[in-house]
Amino acid sequence: MLHLNQQQPSPDGGGGEGDEEAYKILVMDGPCISLLSPVLRVGDLRKHGVTLHLNIDKARQQVADAPAVYLVRPTPANADRIAADAAAGLYASFHVNFSTSVPRPVLDRLAAATAASRSAHRVARVADQYLDFVCLEDGLFSLAQPRAYVALNDPAAADSDITSLVEAVALGLFCVVATLGAVPIIRCARGGPAEMVAAALDARLRDHLLAKPNLFTEAASSAASSFQRPVLCLFDRNFELSVGIQHDWSYRPLVHDVLSFKLNKLKLPTEKYDLDDSDPFWVANSWSPFPKVAEEIEAQLAKYKQDVDEVNQRTGGGRDGVEFDGTDLIGNTKHLMNAVNSLPELTERKKMIDKHTNIATALLGHIKERSLDGYYECENDMLVNGTVDRNMLLSLLRGKGTKEDKLRLAVTYLLSFEAPPASELEQVEAALRESEVDMSAFQYVKRIKSLNTQFAAASSTASRSNIVDWAEKLYGQSISAVTAGVKNLLSDGRQLALTRTVEALMEGKPNPEVDNYLLFDPRAPRSGTGGQFRGPFREAIVFMIGGGNYIEYRSLVELGQRSQPSKHVIYGATEILNGVEFIQQLAELGQKAGLGGGSSNLPPQ
């Protein structure tokens, strides 16, 4: 796209050098800027001949002799802006790239406007790029669709809103599989948003595959004959709630939870840092527990000081009282050359050590101020061992920590035990009120749990359907999704339910946990369910509707690494959330359902 979609050099392209070296201007809208920023830096853009990158919504000056590459979402407003730019002759030629498939009315609008202003000849090309997702690293992506969890679980949501959100998620996933160049086999649990998205994506892929050639034919011809299709596993956030809420103790989830870390960029009060694959320390240590990271920073600093001393000694010349007699001139020159060559590498290392020292110091401040190690330890005991130290739990709820920390701990407590003792539950609620925490998220999860319990207890279909009717009236249409996850709502053991299920789906062997999962194969004829490929799979795309997090990502990365032979797992979500952001969405749903209760976060009169 940056090389004008590999167009042949134009005759006036300047001495036959082609467009590779021709400078060009890149114009993007806000969402496309966040789509590009984790993948390409300004320096990378320069390598591809981009001298200016501009926001389509800001006033821009004319550069009449330069071609412009546009990367924008296909909206009527963007079409109007491009048409206005063409009419004003801002650039020599316009290479328009839409981030996803452009609706016919938007295309017609652009055509009509450029025809009316007689500027259509300036538009060299219009292309659908199917890039409408944010690729944070090789195995992690986000559709940047905020608050999907609230939208899908809101009891007052209109059917049309839910349908358009489901379509948007399906289109985002279509972009992902089109970029991978592989038509996946889709698996999901019955009922709820996951099945709706699976059906919408299946329909979209089927329609697309009718056309020849299509986005997948080129990929298929270039792929090796041993190519195997991936499995796309779709999940709804209610499948396992606790992971979205819990505190974590490893470096990356901690940075994401406690500091403002978005699109691989971290903002500290005085500094801004990139944290991605280009930082070797981050790559090596981002999944280590925080104390281990602190040790590693110390070790790197000691090694750096030792290397600097070594260089100083080598280039010290006559410092040690040895006369410089010129006989070893070549040897000394060699030392000097080595020292000069090692300087850039040493400077880079020092920068990296300083960066992670600053980040670790900022984290440590939060950990001490909020006793985050206590929260992690208490939650981990509940989720992994199924035990709770009541005194520790209550002292955390009454002690240090933000109101969100306390709420997250209390909700984790709710989700860790099927039937917590009433007296203990009352004490937890009283401690929350004492700390003036808004109870709506807590009450909301409590209600989901009680619905689940009644649903599970109702054995006969008649009473079960009554409960569903009642629950749907009370609670909106997502009850099937909520109840589908009843057994996973309560965590078991170290391994996340998500990872266990993905492993079972990739193995493709009969397994009671996944036998009732639906299978969609967009390449298979619509009729007949026989003969569908159920695995084993070497590659999986795991997608969480309603928000993902780094804890699940780590668990899936480990699954890929420990499998023999190793498997490749890509993780994606409607958005990547930390515990505070997710608990806020639960609180919002609690308020919408009128479950405020308890105390608000207002100070007492």
Side-chain angles (χ1 to χ4, degrees):
M1 179 185 83
L2 293 178
H3 293 294
L4 311 183
N5 298 306
Q6 299 170 346
Q7 204 167 297
Q8 290 308 305
S10 51
D12 56 354
E17 285 178 12
D19 284 321
E20 293 291 291
E21 300 307 320
Y23 75 91
K24 50 196 113 44
I25 287 162
L26 178 61
V27 183
M28 297 178 284
D29 61 2
C32 290
I33 292 173
S34 28
L35 179 158
L36 204 69
S37 76
V39 187
L40 291 169
R41 305 228 172 120
V42 176
D44 301 321
L45 291 175
R46 291 230 170 86
K47 276 184 211 144
H48 295 291
V50 174
T51 48
L52 275 178
H53 56 101
L54 306 165
N55 189 323
I56 192 167
D57 297 318
K58 305 253 167 79
R60 287 165 283 119
Q61 291 176 320
Q62 183 179 33
V63 189
D65 55 346
V69 174
Y70 282 73
L71 174 62
V72 292
R73 282 167 316 149
T75 62
N78 282 338
D80 294 347
R81 192 61 55 92
I82 294 167
D85 291 352
L90 279 193
Y91 312 113
S93 59
F94 290 69
H95 300 261
V96 180
N97 299 276
F98 288 113
S99 61
T100 182
S101 111
V102 55
R104 189 73 214 196
V106 173
L107 204 54
D108 291 345
R109 188 177 182 123
L110 179 62
T114 49
S117 64
R118 304 213 165 139
S119 56
H121 62 283
R122 293 199 178 103
V123 180
R125 176 180 174 131
V126 178
D128 292 341
Q129 290 295 357
Y130 294 103
L131 289 172
D132 213 358
F133 59 96
V134 178
C135 179
L136 294 165
E137 48 195 83
D138 284 355
L140 179 67
F141 70 91
S142 154
L143 296 187
Q145 292 171 341
R147 296 179 63 261
Y149 184 76
V150 172
L152 289 167
N153 291 283
D154 180 357
D159 282 357
S160 56
D161 294 344
I162 293 211
T163 309
S164 61
L165 177 61
V166 164
E167 281 299 333
V169 173
L171 181 54
L173 285 170
F174 180 86
C175 291
V176 171
V177 297
T179 303
L180 288 168
V183 180
I185 285 168
I186 307 167
R187 300 295 305 266
C188 68
R190 286 172 195 279
E195 183 180 346
M196 292 156 83
V197 169
L201 178 61
D202 179 60
R204 189 174 275 279
L205 282 164
R206 282 177 185 280
D207 285 352
H208 182 77
L209 291 169
L210 292 175
K212 298 274 187 288
N214 56 51
L215 291 167
F216 300 96
T217 41
E218 298 151 32
S221 59
S222 63
S225 53
S226 66
F227 172 72
Q228 196 207 17
R229 291 165 64 188
V231 61
L232 168 61
C233 312
L234 296 176
F235 295 92
D236 164 36
R237 185 65 275 164
N238 287 321
F239 175 75
E240 195 174 16
L241 271 184
S242 55
V243 195
I245 298 162
Q246 70 193 71
H247 290 84
D248 199 72
W249 195 230
S250 50
Y251 195 30
R252 190 187 308 212
L254 206 49
V255 166
H256 184 234
D257 195 357
V258 173
L259 309 172
S260 68
F261 180 51
K262 284 267 180 293
L263 295 173
N264 296 347
K265 290 179 176 39
L266 176 66
K267 278 188 193 154
L268 292 178
T270 52
E271 297 283 348
K272 281 184 185 167
Y273 296 120
D274 284 317
L275 288 173
D276 56 24
D277 300 352
S278 66
D279 176 339
F281 186 91
W282 180 249
V283 172
N285 298 288
S286 70
W287 299 124
S288 301
F290 180 67
K292 193 136 176 34
V293 174
E295 280 169 28
E296 186 56 32
I297 293 171
E298 291 286 318
Q300 298 252 4
L301 186 60
K303 174 95 174 71
Y304 166 79
K305 284 179 175 160
Q306 185 190 336
D307 291 354
V308 169
D309 288 348
E310 213 169 278
V311 168
N312 287 340
Q313 280 165 7
R314 275 201 216 143
T315 55
R319 217 174 33 171
D320 303 332
V322 179
E323 284 303 310
F324 180 68
D325 61 358
T327 50
D328 194 22
L329 190 60
I330 290 173
N332 278 310
T333 314
K334 247 190 187 157
H335 280 323
L336 266 177
M337 289 298 289
N338 287 341
V340 169
N341 290 338
S342 66
L343 277 176
E345 190 258 346
L346 283 171
T347 316
E348 272 308 298
R349 267 167 63 192
K350 180 76 172 84
K351 260 167 66 180
M352 189 181 75
I353 292 165
D354 288 348
K355 162 178 165 178
H356 288 282
T357 304
N358 289 344
I359 296 171
T361 309
L363 282 178
L364 198 58
H366 282 276
I367 290 168
K368 284 186 169 160
E369 194 183 316
R370 292 159 55 184
S371 65
L372 291 176
D373 46 344
Y375 280 95
Y376 166 69
E377 195 182 325
C378 188
E379 289 171 1
N380 205 44
D381 266 355
M382 296 191 287
L383 290 168
V384 179
N385 309 325
T387 56
V388 63
D389 176 339
R390 185 188 299 192
N391 295 339
M392 184 182 185
L393 175 70
L394 295 173
S395 69
L396 282 166
L397 292 175
R398 294 196 175 103
K400 289 178 174 179
T402 62
K403 289 179 180 179
E404 285 89 357
D405 287 332
K406 294 172 183 183
L407 190 54
R408 286 162 66 184
L409 176 64
V411 172
T412 305
Y413 166 77
L414 264 186
L415 292 171
S416 300
F417 304 103
E418 203 149 344
S423 60
E424 197 169 86
L425 194 57
E426 274 165 31
Q427 285 179 302
V428 166
E429 292 187 24
L432 282 178
R433 289 197 184 93
E434 234 173 88
S435 300
E436 291 164 11
V437 174
D438 181 325
M439 301 284 282
S440 25
F442 185 82
Q443 302 292 6
Y444 177 74
V445 173
K446 207 166 142 184
R447 172 177 290 183
I448 292 181
K449 262 189 74 177
S450 72
L451 288 180
N452 269 338
T453 317
Q454 287 164 332
F455 190 77
S459 49
S460 75
T461 44
S463 58
R464 180 167 281 212
S465 65
N466 288 344
I467 285 185
V468 174
D469 290 345
W470 165 74
E472 286 188 347
K473 282 193 196 82
L474 181 81
Y475 182 82
Q477 64 293 78
S478 59
I479 190 64
S480 52
V482 175
T483 45
V486 61
K487 66 176 186 298
N488 298 316
L489 201 62
L490 307 163
S491 291
D492 81 343
R494 179 69 273 180
Q495 200 186 6
L496 303 181
L498 177 75
T499 313
R500 221 176 40 238
T501 310
V502 170
E503 191 165 17
L505 287 169
M506 288 185 85
E507 277 176 359
K509 294 179 185 144
N511 179 330
E513 279 204 33
V514 295
D515 285 346
N516 61 348
Y517 271 51
L518 299 172
L519 186 150
F520 294 83
D521 182 352
R523 283 202 186 276
R526 272 190 189 280
S527 60
T529 51
Q532 289 167 323
F533 183 65
R534 288 178 177 270
F537 294 95
R538 280 204 304 271
E539 295 195 8
I541 306 155
V542 178
F543 186 77
M544 184 56 79
I545 301 160
N549 52 66
Y550 282 107
I551 302 173
E552 281 175 340
Y553 177 45
R554 175 187 61 208
S555 181
L556 291 166
V557 167
E558 287 166 356
L559 165 68
Q561 288 167 348
R562 72 162 182 268
S563 304
Q564 288 299 332
S566 69
K567 296 184 163 101
H568 184 224
V569 183
I570 295 172
Y571 176 66
T574 42
E575 56 182 330
I576 304 291
L577 293 172
N578 62 27
V580 175
E581 292 163 335
F582 186 55
I583 204 89
Q584 283 165 351
Q585 294 196 25
L586 287 170
E588 191 179 333
L589 284 167
Q591 284 151 6
K592 282 174 188 268
L595 294 174
S599 156
S600 74
N601 283 347
L602 297 170
Q605 291 305 314

